[in-house]
Every structure is written in C-alpha cells, then in structure tokens.
Amino acid sequence: MSHVRPERRVGPALLLVLSLTATALAAQGALKPLKVVDRLWIDTTANACSDFFQYANGAWIAHDTIPAAYSSSGVARDMSDRNELVVRSVLDDAAAHRASQPAGSTPRKLGTFYASCMDSTAAEAAGIDPIRPWLAGIDSIATRDQLIPQIAALQVRGVNVAFRYGPEADPHDAAHYLVWLAQGGLGLPDRDYYTKTDPQSDSLRQQYVAHVAKMLTLAGEPAAQAGTDAAAVLAFETELARASLTRVERREPSATDHPTTAGELRTLAPTISWNGYFQAIGLTVPVARLNVAEPAFFKRVDSLVNTAPLDQWRAYLRYHLLDAAAPWLSTPLVNEDFAFSSRFSGAKELLPRWKRCLRETDGDLGEALGQAYVAKTFPPEARARAKAVIDDIRAAFAARLRRLTWMSDSTRAQALDKLGKMGEKVGYPDHWRDYTRLESVDGPFVVNVARANAFEWQRVVNRPGSPVDTTEWGITVPTVNAYYDPERNEMVFPAGALVPQTFDPKADDGANYGSLGGSWAGHELTHGFDDEGRHYDAKGNLRDWWTAADSAHFTTQADRMVQQFNGYVQVDTFHVNGRLTLGENIADYGGILTGYDALQRALVRDGRPKLIDGYTPEQRFFLGYAQSWRSQTRDAALRTRVTVDPHAPERWRVNGPLSDSPAFARAFGCKPGDPMVRPPDVVPQIW
Ligand SMILES: [Zn+2]
C-alpha cells in the first residue's frame, strides 16, 4: 500500500527499531547505555573548524566495524539493537503463550504470526509449495482480459506489479481520501537504474537478468526458458521505467497532481477495464474522481496491457511474486534474494532469523505489539519532557517567522497560521489498530504475510470519499524514525525514537536541544516549510499561499543550498544530488537554527549550567547535533542512496548546515577561511 508519502528522517536502509529499556538492558550488561553526547566519541586531535563530523565522532569511527549483516552502523543501529531486544521479549512471550490465548484474539494472532515466521524447518520442507496456487493463477492467464484480475490479486497480497493503488488525502481537500493511482512495478530500486547508460549500470542490469533467471529456475523453469523470460522481464520493466517520473521530478507536488474523472481515466487508459479492476481489489464505493499521479505512466501501462506478449506479462508477474515471497521461502530462494539485494546494501550476511521475523511482525502487526512495548519502555515523564522540548522548538520557529526580513506580512501570516495548526503525535497512538479482521494461523509464514497484506488492503481500500483518519500513525511505535506529513500538517515522533541516544530526560539542555531539538523536532517542523512542504497550506491542501516575490526569494536561496550540496562527494566519483536532497538539507539547516534558538530560550528560563566535560551549553548543542548523525555506511549503500535517498550522507548533514551557521563558528571560535565557515554571500537565507 502506498503509505509512503511522508519523507522520513532517515533513509529506507535505516528504518529500524529501538527502546528506552536500552538503559535497563544495558544495566544488565547486555548492551552499553547510550548517551546523547558521549565525550568518548570525540576525536580531540581533529580540528572542529575543519571537519566537525570527524571532531564529534572520529574516536568512535576509529574503533567501529560495520557488522557483516548491516549496511551501516551508528546511532540508528545502536538504538535499534537495544530496541529489538525489548520487542523480541514481547514476541517471544506472545509466541510461547499463544495457545492459552482466546481463539481470534489479537495476542494469539501476534504470537502465531511470529512463531510461524520462526519455524524455519517448515519453510525448508515446503520449498515453494505455499505459493504454487498463486503461480498457477499467473500461468492460467490466457487472454488479455485475464491480466487485470491477476494484477489485482497480486497487489492485494502485497506484490508490487504494474502500478500502485492507494487511498491518499485529496490534494485539494486534504480532509478527505481520494483514489490515487501511481507509478510502480519496478524490480530495481529506482527508474534511473533502467535508463542510465554508464558501464556500471549496464553491468548491474546484466546481473539483474541473471538474478531473475535464477529465481525463475528455482521456481522450476528450465534454464533456457528462464533466461529468455528474464530478458523479457528487464525489457518490460524498462518500458515502465522510461514512462516513470524521476524522484527529483516528483518532489514538485504539482507534478503528481492530476485530478481526473472516471470518464477521463477511461480515455487515458482505454484498454484497462477499470470497473473490473476496482471490483477485483474490493473497492465498493463509487469512484467519480481520482488523482492519476503520473498520466504518461498509465498510458504506457495501458499500451502494455494491449500489446505486450502474454508470455512477457506472465514472466514479469511470476518474478515479482517470487521476489516478494522469497524472504519467507526455503534457503535457496532466501539466499538468492539476499545475494542480489546485497549489491545495493553492501551487507555481507543475512540478519539472524529472529531479527528478520521481528521486523516483518513489526511492519505487519506493529500496533498489536506496540501496546506491550510502550508498557515496558515509555513512562509518562519521558513523554512530557519530550513534548516540552518540542514546544520550545515551535515557539522558536514562530519567533523566527516573525522577524524574517525577506518575507512579506501576507505570506508571514499564513506561515504562522500553518505553524499554529501543525499537529504533533508524540510517543504512541491514542487509538490502537483493530486487528479483528486479520487472519493469522499456524502454517506457512509466507501465507500469513499475504494475509496481513490483504488485511491492510481491506482496511483502507474503501476509504475514498470518507474523512481522513487523523488518529492514524504512519510508522510503528518502536521505530527509530519520525516524519512530517504535509497533507495532515503534522509531525510524528514514536516512542522508539524518544530514548537515548536521541533524547534523555536526565541529560543537559545543550545535548537534548541539539539532538531531539535540532536534528529531530526542528528538522521535522521545518519540513512543513521546505521546497516540497511549503506548497501545502495549514489544512494540508495543495495551494500557493506565497507572494510571487517571497516565492522567488525562497527559490533563489534554496538554489544556493542545491549548489552547496552538489559540491560534496557522496562516494568515490558520485556527488551528492543537491536537488534530490534539498528538502532534507533545508530541514537540517532549519532544525539547527531553530534548535539553537530554543536552547537560548531554555537557558534564559532554566539558568545556564556549568561546563560539562569542558564544553559550554552551545558547544554541547552542536556536539549533540553532530553525534546524532554518528554513523558509517558501506560504499555499496552510499552508491544506492545517491539515487534513491533524499538524505545526504551523515557527514554532510553535519558539516553542510553547520558551516552555514554563524552560531556554530562563534561556539567553536572558527574564523573566516576555515573549512567549517562558508562565506556569508553563499549561505542560504531561508528560515
Ligand atoms: Zn527529513
């Protein structure tokens, strides 16, 4: 389901989990407790004014090795490691006691789901048997009329084929859901992998064809046929890719805003039986109007339905089903799936099974385990203290808006209105999801995953036309992440992210305001006013509330930031994509400026503490920010991220915005000409 619209704080490879019990477990000697600012990580031999990322994290980097099963290490992994121990205890408990829970109860479903995943013996014995009925459905396609029902059946089970359906907020009436049809259906991580013409991209496509052939062979195809089919899959996906918008193009909200009537959809894509499709996915509410995010893409899908050989279609659908199911089948499929995906992550070995099962369970039944997780880890005091920091951030941003000299009063009034109406969710949902209709029974785990996907599909499929559920969360409670959703105009911070190293109610203000204040709350808030978020109004509607002059100023200053980040090296010969990462870079910079102001307010209110480890509160603020990005990433993952991730590498997320900050230069006594001090005439003047 396309609940992927909010841009997250960290990249997809880092979407992990954590906890407060970090501290409790650490006390038992399981894992070292994390501190918001840890002086042991500082490289005191480095020059803070030359490379502050190195200064703040260099001593840690010098001694860290990325574990074989990971593409990176650092804050996100450290927090998730601690968190996963808590979630595991919840799941082990649920699995052990499932038989004594009432039939059909959520605890029983949760325990059964996790236990069926952990049953590796059953997975080995079954091979691909559990998905044979679905493969047979694909093989039975004999006429073009039979394509759409099969596509629909696969989508409902969570398989990404042809395009995406999702009820999302109406761009022009964000209080109500609307049918969105969007591009999708690719096997490689981005459309650019199909269109780039350099030797590495050519080689990667050849490896992809070999991988598809191997998967088809493992599903029983003769090798020669599998080779032919694999080439056909690449050719098919290349057609989809060429018709897809780039990630940079999709950053402009108007590029994916195409209100369409049902009649216009039939004209745009006349071969596809849309009524048949909507019926097949279980949509029963009438669809008079919808948003076709990328019309050219749907023209292409329609022509493929009309003209692509059915052999090609069947090979394409078969591979995507195998690709989705492979992680939960027998070892040959698991290993082939991992071997190919590791080209993008750089990971050297599989995660242990319990971690893979834990993550899948969190993804599919996250709100069933979230309650137990919160009870174990997140006391009301922590929630209250985190909310207080976020309140200070809001006040500091409002004060900045009031004194901005470049902004007209009319734009300013609307910006203040948007900020005032911005919602926030902190810790955990007030209403937990109802899993009554979810089926989870003993048997092949891959079937339970398909059931969970079908449950999620049915939960939302008939939303079009109804009011947006404002209580809903887009990520689960134990997740080490946060987001801003422009269509709901709200920030969301799950409990999993509100623990050390992000935040510690017992830590000093300097540390907490640099980390939680700057790199989390200030960052998410600023997303409401970045190159993408600024196009949405206080109600989440896509509406231009800017004067032409203010818009022009913003664009000129944002272009400075694009140039700044284009100048940074991502990995070997690849530079950061300043356009793709613009929103995140604006959010980082806004986060620092706002977090710093909020710290000054807190120091006035609470009093200025003595030096800690020899550092002033302001220096602790910048250390808290820089250490919140403590990480190392494998080159393979950095190469993937340059194409797919709107976040720049962590080194630049620190050194980029801090070298634009006069307060940073003051705090560490940096002088004009130092690498961490960029000339004022190139520094972006935005928020
Ligand atoms: Zn962000």
Side-chain angles (χ1 to χ4, degrees):
M1 204 98 280
S2 52
H3 288 277
V4 286
R5 291 185 55 72
E7 282 299 348
R8 307 287 154 73
R9 179 177 177 274
V10 292
L14 302 176
L15 202 62
L16 306 174
V17 224
L18 108 107
S19 131
L20 219 222
T21 328
T23 320
L25 288 160
Q28 298 161 15
L31 288 166
K32 186 174 170 287
L34 297 169
K35 295 178 182 173
V36 182
V37 171
D38 195 330
R39 69 181 173 84
L40 296 178
W41 293 332
I42 297 173
D43 175 2
T44 51
T45 69
N47 182 346
C49 298
S50 295
D51 182 346
F52 193 68
F53 181 82
Q54 176 67 26
Y55 178 82
N57 299 302
W60 173 80
I61 293 169
H63 294 101
D64 178 66
T65 306
I66 302 173
Y70 291 84
S71 60
S72 65
S73 59
V75 175
R77 215 205 83 233
D78 286 347
M79 290 174 74
S80 77
D81 279 350
R82 283 153 181 77
N83 195 48
E84 284 171 349
L85 293 179
V86 182
V87 176
R88 185 187 192 177
S89 73
V90 172
L91 293 177
D92 282 346
D93 199 46
H97 299 110
R98 67 188 191 280
S100 60
Q101 299 288 345
S105 68
T106 297
R108 182 158 177 153
K109 288 174 185 173
L110 181 68
T112 303
F113 193 83
Y114 183 68
S116 76
C117 184
M118 289 301 289
D119 191 349
S120 56
T121 311
E124 293 305 337
I128 66 155
D129 287 350
I131 64 165
R132 280 192 201 283
W134 305 334
L135 286 167
I138 294 167
D139 291 342
S140 75
I141 297 171
T143 66
R144 293 188 184 277
D145 291 348
Q146 292 165 340
L147 275 174
I148 289 296
Q150 283 297 325
I151 289 170
L154 289 165
Q155 288 178 345
V156 169
R157 291 187 201 112
V159 184
N160 168 27
V161 284
F163 58 85
R164 292 181 186 275
Y165 163 90
E168 301 279 353
D170 183 339
H172 303 282
D173 173 15
H176 292 88
Y177 292 110
L178 181 70
V179 171
W180 277 63
L181 294 173
Q183 67 188 41
L186 300 179
L188 291 170
D190 188 85
R191 49 95 57 209
D192 287 357
Y193 285 99
Y194 298 87
T195 57
K196 282 192 289 195
T197 54
D198 57 283
Q200 291 99 320
S201 299
D202 279 342
S203 154
L204 196 80
R205 285 190 289 269
Q206 284 168 24
Q207 291 162 26
Y208 181 52
V209 170
H211 162 68
V212 173
K214 179 85 185 287
M215 294 287 276
L216 294 172
T217 310
L218 289 171
E221 276 194 30
Q225 182 63 47
T228 307
D229 282 352
V233 170
L234 176 67
F236 187 93
E237 291 180 4
T238 303
E239 292 289 313
L240 295 179
R242 289 207 179 108
S244 298
L245 294 184
T246 66
R247 282 179 202 256
V248 169
E249 285 167 339
R250 280 189 288 135
R251 289 196 61 73
E252 172 60 48
S254 63
T256 55
D257 174 32
H258 300 284
T260 305
T261 64
E264 287 164 347
L265 177 64
R266 281 194 293 274
T267 308
L268 178 76
T271 310
I272 297 172
S273 159
W274 289 104
N275 284 344
Y277 171 74
F278 291 139
Q279 198 178 359
I281 62 170
L283 182 65
T284 55
V285 298
V287 179
R289 35 190 288 282
L290 58 165
N291 184 37
V292 179
E294 302 91 0
F297 181 85
F298 281 86
K299 270 191 185 168
R300 184 64 54 90
V301 171
D302 190 75
S303 78
L304 288 169
V305 169
N306 197 17
T307 60
L310 289 179
D311 276 347
Q312 191 176 23
W313 266 106
R314 285 189 296 261
Y316 165 76
L317 298 176
R318 209 179 298 133
Y319 169 67
H320 277 260
L321 169 58
L322 286 167
D323 179 53
W328 313 117
L329 300 176
S330 51
T331 297
L333 287 125
V334 171
N335 285 350
E336 176 57 27
D337 178 61
F338 170 75
F340 188 67
S341 67
S342 67
R343 293 181 194 281
F344 301 96
S345 69
K348 310 279 186 232
E349 62 183 44
L350 269 171
L351 281 172
R353 189 170 191 94
W354 72 266
K355 286 211 179 198
R356 285 179 275 145
C357 289
L358 180 152
R359 291 175 183 196
E360 186 66 23
T361 309
D362 182 51
D364 290 342
L365 279 101
E367 293 198 14
L369 64 84
Q371 282 161 287
Y373 170 84
V374 167
K376 284 187 180 219
T377 64
F378 196 60
E381 313 86 80
R383 194 187 207 193
R385 182 87 179 90
K387 270 177 175 283
V389 174
I390 296 167
D391 282 349
D392 278 349
I393 293 292
R394 299 176 76 111
F397 197 84
R400 273 195 166 260
L401 280 179
R402 286 193 194 94
R403 64 173 190 263
L404 280 183
T405 51
W406 60 265
M407 183 172 267
S408 69
D409 285 341
S410 72
T411 307
R412 188 192 324 275
Q414 303 229 33
L416 283 163
D417 181 47
K418 177 166 182 173
L419 176 63
K421 293 191 170 116
M422 187 181 289
E424 66 186 36
K425 290 179 172 144
V426 180
Y428 45 88
D430 295 325
H431 303 281
W432 297 92
R433 191 158 298 173
D434 176 3
Y435 290 98
T436 305
R437 293 179 63 190
L438 172 74
E439 242 196 300
S440 162
V441 298
D442 289 325
F445 181 63
V446 71
V447 182
N448 273 337
V449 172
R451 290 186 184 112
N453 284 322
F455 162 78
E456 173 61 13
W457 190 283
Q458 285 152 12
R459 192 177 73 83
V460 302
V461 65
N462 278 307
R463 283 179 162 179
S466 57
V468 164
D469 177 2
T470 54
T471 67
E472 188 173 59
W473 284 54
I475 52 180
T476 66
V477 171
T479 306
V480 185
N481 214 333
Y483 64 90
Y484 170 80
D485 182 343
E487 284 150 346
R488 296 183 193 192
N489 188 25
E490 70 173 2
M491 309 180 272
V492 181
F493 306 94
L498 298 173
V499 294
Q501 167 180 333
T502 300
F503 166 67
D504 184 345
K506 297 188 295 297
D508 56 298
D509 281 347
N512 276 332
Y513 282 76
S515 178
L516 175 60
S519 103
W520 289 79
H523 174 100
E524 297 306 340
L525 187 153
T526 306
H527 271 317
F529 303 90
D530 71 14
D531 62 315
E532 207 174 5
R534 77 180 188 89
H535 295 290
Y536 296 83
D537 68 13
K539 292 179 173 168
N541 289 326
L542 199 49
R543 180 172 70 80
D544 188 5
W545 45 272
W546 293 60
T547 66
D550 291 336
S551 238
H553 174 94
F554 183 96
T555 304
T556 306
Q557 298 301 316
D559 282 346
R560 287 186 176 183
M561 190 157 268
V562 172
Q563 296 310 320
Q564 179 182 358
F565 278 80
N566 280 344
Y568 296 141
V569 171
Q570 172 111 359
V571 56
D572 44 60
T573 59
F574 293 97
H575 276 239
V576 175
N577 182 338
R579 196 59 73 183
L580 177 63
T581 57
L582 177 58
E584 296 301 330
N585 298 330
I586 290 174
D588 284 339
Y589 188 34
I592 287 166
L593 298 175
T594 310
Y596 186 87
D597 291 354
L599 172 66
Q600 296 306 317
R601 297 168 75 92
L603 291 177
V604 168
R605 185 182 60 217
D606 306 337
R608 176 171 281 268
K610 296 201 184 90
L611 299 186
I612 299 175
D613 296 334
Y615 293 106
T616 65
E618 286 79 5
Q619 289 172 327
R620 301 264 306 167
F621 171 87
F622 290 111
L623 286 167
Y625 177 80
Q627 290 196 341
S628 84
W629 296 117
R630 174 179 61 90
S631 76
Q632 292 205 92
T633 306
R634 294 188 195 279
D635 285 356
L638 284 171
R639 274 183 220 110
T640 306
R641 282 176 56 181
V642 80
T643 306
V644 306
D645 192 349
H647 305 85
E650 287 72 13
R651 176 177 298 272
W652 302 124
R653 298 189 69 174
V654 173
N655 289 356
L658 293 193
S659 61
D660 287 333
S661 161
F664 169 78
R666 278 198 307 278
F668 284 90
C670 304
K671 302 280 183 297
D674 287 341
M676 288 298 301
V677 181
R678 298 179 72 243
D681 61 332
V682 297
V683 168
Q685 305 296 328
I686 307 180
W687 304 115

